[in-house]
Amino acid sequence: MARILVVEDDVETAEHLVLSLREVGHSVDLAANGRDGLVLAGSGRFDVLIVDRKLPGLDGLSLVKAVRAAGQRTPVIFLTALSAIADRVDGLEGGGDDYLVKPFAIAELIARVQVLARRAENASLLTLADLEMDLVGRSVRRAGVPVNLLPREWRLLEFFMRNAGQVVTRAMLLERVWGFNFDPGTGVVETHVSRMRKKVDGGFAVELLHTVRGIGYCLRAPD
Amino acid sequence: MLRIRVLSSLGFRMTLLYAVVVGVAALLAFTVGARMANSQITKEIDESLADRATQLLALGGSDEIAASIVRRTSEVVTARAYFYLLQDADGRVVAGNIPPMPPHAGYIDLPLPDVAVLRKEDDRDDHSLRGLGIVLAGGSYFVVARDIYDFNVTKEMIFDTYAGGLLVTLFIALLGAGLISSIFMRRLKAIERTSTEIMAGNLSERIPLRGGNNEFDRLSAHLNGMLDLIEMLMSNLRQVTDDIAHDLRTPLTRLRQRLERTRLHAANLTDYETTVDQAIRETDSLLETFSALLRIAEIQSGARRGRFGPVDLSALTLTIVETFVPVAEDQGRPFDSDVAPGIWVRGDHDLLCQLLANLVQNTLTHTPAGSGIGVSLAPSAMDGEAHLMVADSGPGIPAAERQKVFQRFYRMDSSRSTPGSGLGLSLVAAIADLHGMRVSLHDNGPGVRVDIHFSRSSCGNGGGPNA
């Protein structure tokens, strides 16, 4: 699967990350400080960089800025214990593609790595099994039957389609579909997803959208 | 000691510098003026000498001139009169009362001849002659001269007056410098005293104001404002620490007890798994509370104001409504919304989103299924203001508790059983405060109405940031 570089100085966290990512099949390299991280990241052989914000030697933000300045577009996930909202903005403006505040559930990180490792292409027609989504014509069909979606449901489905086969977490949906960087409370994501699901899967023998317990959802074609 | 401090004070130095500048300017003005007056008077004297010489020359040859000179100098010569000299080609005096001299054609300065009789009060040093020498045909030399005592005395008087004036100016400047620096020092001393008090731990100390609108009062008012903010932040910090101590300890204790009990009494793996799952859930909720606390503290620090921009509150409100309507519908709640378009505010989009989401979520959590929810956004009757309202038809909040619900960790007895950290409304209050919005709770008969009043951004006018 993906080749991942973890730049993290805390030994226990680093070990936890490396083991968990290897367990799901990624090949993982580890750098314990910013300078080593920059040298390894500069080689350009990774699909995703996981970078801690606070590192000895060279801090994570400077590392990513240096990598970006060198013209590399490798996706970056920042990890941080800094929960201040301003830091998040700095991280994303500094070249990060995603931002996770410690502590986080490992499933959340794995889901985000999968999504970043397989950047969705810019197709105008998304298809999955018998589900078709025409982004230009603004229409959705399941087995040829038109499906009417509300704007929010449309954006949900588009996100699922673009990340078909990947696990998508609640927090990811809130960030990408709503633009919320906070949890508006239980029920919001579930309600909207269940309404969308009723329109897309309702009445069909094969379910495409699956709930991943305790983590989120996964839209995938039947085996 | 005090003298040295006065001399080194900035006020003193500035005033002194000012006095020096004024002195130099006066000196320059005097020099130019004196020079101009000097040349004017000299010109007049020279003209009168030329007139007199012309008169005498008009008489004819040297004999006629000599006769005229003899006549004119026959009386006692007093100072301030005209003086004459006619000498032959060999330098011998033919007539006149000026000692002979080597001939020099043109204007000359001469000492007062000894023959001149002075007035008793006059000083010989003040007298001198200005003369016009003319070389006649045949080599004889003729001089007409005038005592310029008055001119000399006037010059001296001007100089004396100026020197005295300068001395007085400098003296007054010095006095003023001392006075001004002592005023400066008195005001600075007051600030120094206050900061010493504050450093000693008395945070409520403030710099006294004199009630004027001078630089010192303005600076002091500014410093006092800063001190108010610091004191507020300090007390906030203390409050947060107390809150954490009180409200996080309970769940942590519970968590510890559960782990301990499982360690001692667990019979099988399932027991362990159940406890670990439970522990993870509790830790998550603790962490959530913790980050909510940090977020409130960050908002209260005001640092986020630096990232304020124009926010389309109408669009934002519609997003929240659109997000929560399905949730309310599923719980069988009527959801009314009335959002006026084009209401813009200066603020932080993310935080305003969270404010509104928290208020709506709050009504969903704290009212029984079936109670209605209403959200409205409208311009106020007052110009430039707008009014955001979130209301429900639930059980309401007793008047006595309405202010307390904004406090951290405050939970009404009736809501102890519902999930939540007790931080939702403190976060709302912090965000509103950051944006200068006024939040109030009212009886909605039945239910609660949250009113938020705020001033609309000037970039509104129904258009947008570019309108």
Side-chain angles (χ1 to χ4, degrees):
Chain A
M1 287 186 94
R3 287 151 305 169
I4 297 168
L5 173 65
V6 174
V7 192
E8 165 66 77
D9 61 317
D10 181 69
V11 179
E12 202 168 322
T13 308
E15 198 173 309
H16 179 48
L17 292 182
V18 171
L19 290 180
S20 309
L21 288 166
R22 280 186 186 147
E23 226 163 74
V24 293
H26 297 297
S27 101
V28 187
D29 282 21
L30 175 68
N33 64 59
R35 262 187 275 278
D36 293 355
L38 184 59
V39 173
L40 280 171
S43 70
R45 60 194 169 86
F46 297 100
D47 301 316
V48 177
L49 309 179
I50 299 175
V51 181
D52 190 34
R53 271 294 295 270
K54 275 199 172 145
L55 289 168
L58 179 76
D59 73 276
L61 191 57
S62 308
L63 186 156
V64 170
K65 280 182 179 164
V67 168
R68 290 285 180 262
Q72 274 197 43
R73 287 299 317 151
T74 316
V76 170
I77 301 180
F78 274 120
L79 303 183
T80 183
L82 309 168
S83 71
I85 312 140
D87 295 318
R88 180 195 168 81
V89 177
D90 287 343
L92 295 182
E93 280 172 359
D97 299 270
D98 209 341
Y99 203 92
L100 260 187
V101 178
K102 289 180 190 173
F104 47 82
I106 195 71
E108 184 76 44
L109 179 69
I110 290 170
R112 284 166 192 258
V113 167
Q114 312 274 47
V115 164
L116 278 185
R118 243 201 34 181
R119 281 249 170 109
E121 357 49 288
N122 258 341
S124 60
L125 184 71
L126 306 171
T127 54
L128 181 80
D130 57 352
L131 180 61
E132 263 182 29
M133 188 172 204
D134 181 354
L135 297 177
V136 178
R138 304 294 290 176
S139 67
V140 175
R141 284 165 190 278
R142 176 85 195 260
V145 184
V147 179
N148 276 320
L149 295 179
L150 292 174
R152 184 72 59 193
E153 294 162 351
W154 173 278
R155 288 173 67 180
L156 270 172
L157 183 63
E158 184 184 343
F159 188 71
F160 281 126
M161 290 287 272
R162 285 192 185 281
N163 297 290
Q166 315 285 339
V167 175
V168 169
T169 66
R170 279 184 67 231
M172 283 161 82
L173 290 173
L174 284 170
E175 282 169 31
R176 306 297 167 85
V177 176
W178 272 271
F180 289 173
N181 294 311
F182 58 92
D183 189 345
T186 45
V188 169
V189 173
E190 289 77 358
T191 305
H192 286 264
V193 169
S194 107
R195 291 192 168 205
M196 187 211 76
R197 171 186 265 156
K198 242 177 245 158
K199 294 180 180 177
V200 173
D201 274 344
F204 292 93
V206 180
E207 280 198 354
L208 295 178
L209 187 63
H210 303 265
T211 301
V212 184
R213 238 191 107 234
I215 301 173
Y217 305 92
C218 179
L219 183 76
R220 64 168 181 266
D223 301 324
Chain B
M1 184 62 196
L2 182 73
R3 243 228 302 279
I4 293 166
R5 292 191 54 186
V6 166
L7 289 179
S8 64
S9 115
L10 187 65
F12 183 81
R13 289 181 182 188
M14 300 258 283
T15 318
L16 207 60
L17 181 69
Y18 180 70
V20 169
V21 170
V22 168
V24 169
L27 189 68
L28 266 174
F30 168 76
T31 313
V32 172
R35 200 164 277 237
M36 277 167 66
N38 201 5
S39 76
Q40 183 60 37
I41 295 170
T42 307
K43 195 176 151 218
E44 276 172 22
I45 291 171
D46 290 354
E47 273 171 8
S48 71
L49 288 172
D51 281 354
R52 187 59 62 98
T54 315
Q55 278 175 30
L56 283 165
L57 288 173
L59 294 176
S62 5
D63 293 347
E64 286 81 1
I65 296 171
S68 173
I69 290 175
V70 168
R71 190 161 36 79
R72 284 168 198 259
T73 57
S74 58
E75 299 159 28
V76 173
V77 184
T78 57
R80 298 178 209 191
Y82 277 90
F83 293 80
Y84 303 93
L85 168 69
L86 182 64
Q87 62 185 43
D88 61 20
D90 300 326
R92 279 189 299 271
V93 175
V94 178
N97 47 13
I98 301 175
M101 66 187 84
H104 171 84
Y107 291 102
I108 46 178
D109 291 311
L110 301 168
L112 186 69
D114 297 337
V115 293
V117 175
L118 296 184
R119 282 191 310 204
K120 177 159 100 230
E121 69 271 23
D122 284 359
D123 181 354
R124 183 166 279 272
D125 289 348
D126 290 335
H127 292 268
S128 70
L129 299 186
R130 173 96 175 148
L132 175 59
I134 295 164
V135 180
L136 299 174
S140 50
Y141 182 52
F142 164 62
V143 175
V144 184
R146 236 184 108 175
D147 181 6
I148 51 168
Y149 171 82
D150 287 341
F151 178 41
N152 288 342
V153 166
T154 308
K155 264 207 303 208
E156 204 167 275
M157 206 170 67
I158 290 174
F159 179 77
D160 289 351
T161 309
Y162 173 74
L166 190 66
L167 270 178
V168 171
T169 306
L170 282 177
F171 179 70
I172 291 174
L174 214 66
L175 255 172
L179 192 70
I180 289 171
S181 80
S182 86
I183 292 172
F184 265 65
M185 277 188 6
R186 219 172 35 245
R187 302 298 306 257
L188 287 174
K189 260 248 137 22
I191 296 176
E192 209 177 296
R193 247 196 323 274
T194 307
S195 49
T196 313
E197 275 289 306
I198 290 169
M199 279 190 285
N202 187 359
L203 278 181
S204 55
E205 194 66 27
R206 292 294 177 270
I207 302 163
L209 298 182
R210 296 279 165 86
N213 189 29
N214 61 33
E215 297 89 328
F216 270 105
D217 273 334
R218 279 200 303 262
L219 177 68
S220 303
H222 250 92
L223 288 173
N224 284 346
M226 187 181 80
L227 292 169
D228 288 345
L229 186 68
I230 291 175
E231 192 186 10
M232 194 268 284
L233 291 175
M234 290 289 285
S235 82
N236 240 321
L237 188 67
R238 244 194 315 272
Q239 187 65 42
V240 174
T241 320
D242 292 352
D243 291 345
I244 291 173
H246 282 110
D247 280 74
L248 292 187
R249 188 177 283 168
T250 318
L252 277 172
T253 311
R254 211 168 43 224
L255 178 62
R256 191 185 181 287
Q257 283 165 352
R258 192 165 296 148
L259 290 171
E260 198 172 34
R261 210 167 42 240
T262 310
R263 181 72 187 76
L264 293 174
H265 305 296
N268 50 41
L269 195 60
T270 321
D271 282 358
Y272 271 109
E273 278 176 357
T274 315
T275 305
V276 169
D277 285 349
Q278 223 167 28
I280 289 176
R281 268 201 304 281
E282 287 208 10
T283 322
D284 282 348
S285 118
L286 275 168
L287 286 167
E288 218 167 273
T289 304
F290 207 74
S291 62
L293 276 174
L294 288 174
R295 201 167 166 95
I296 292 173
E298 188 203 353
I299 293 164
Q300 282 178 337
S301 76
R304 290 208 77 174
R305 266 192 211 110
R307 291 183 187 264
F308 272 16
V311 175
D312 183 350
L313 197 62
S314 302
L316 187 151
T317 309
L318 285 174
T319 303
I320 297 293
V321 168
E322 175 262 327
T323 300
F324 281 97
V325 160
V327 181
E329 273 176 8
D330 284 5
Q331 298 178 3
R333 298 165 184 269
F335 195 133
D336 290 325
S337 67
D338 180 12
V339 179
I343 293 183
W344 289 73
V345 289
R346 257 195 82 68
D348 183 306
H349 184 273
D350 274 15
L351 291 181
L352 290 171
C353 237
Q354 189 162 13
L355 175 142
L356 204 52
N358 270 22
L359 285 176
V360 175
Q361 185 65 43
N362 230 36
T363 62
L364 289 173
T365 327
H366 297 292
T367 61
S371 354
I373 299 170
V375 172
S376 90
L377 176 67
S380 293
M382 213 192 305
D383 203 28
E385 294 241 316
H387 171 214
L388 175 69
M389 187 201 77
V390 177
D392 65 59
S393 60
I397 299 177
E401 300 210 48
R402 278 184 205 143
Q403 265 318 304
K404 292 187 193 158
V405 294
F406 288 111
Q407 291 168 11
R408 267 183 283 254
F409 295 117
Y410 184 82
R411 308 192 66 186
M412 295 198 310
D413 290 336
S414 54
S415 64
R416 291 264 170 220
S417 52
T418 51
S421 57
L423 289 171
L425 281 178
S426 346
L427 191 64
V428 166
I431 294 172
D433 201 41
L434 180 78
H435 287 81
M437 297 174 162
R438 302 183 301 282
V439 188
S440 52
L441 288 186
H442 303 274
D443 188 11
N444 197 35
V448 185
R449 192 178 84 234
V450 182
D451 277 339
I452 301 183
H453 290 272
F454 53 93
S455 50
R456 300 171 62 170
S457 166
S458 53
C459 60
N461 302 333
N466 303 320

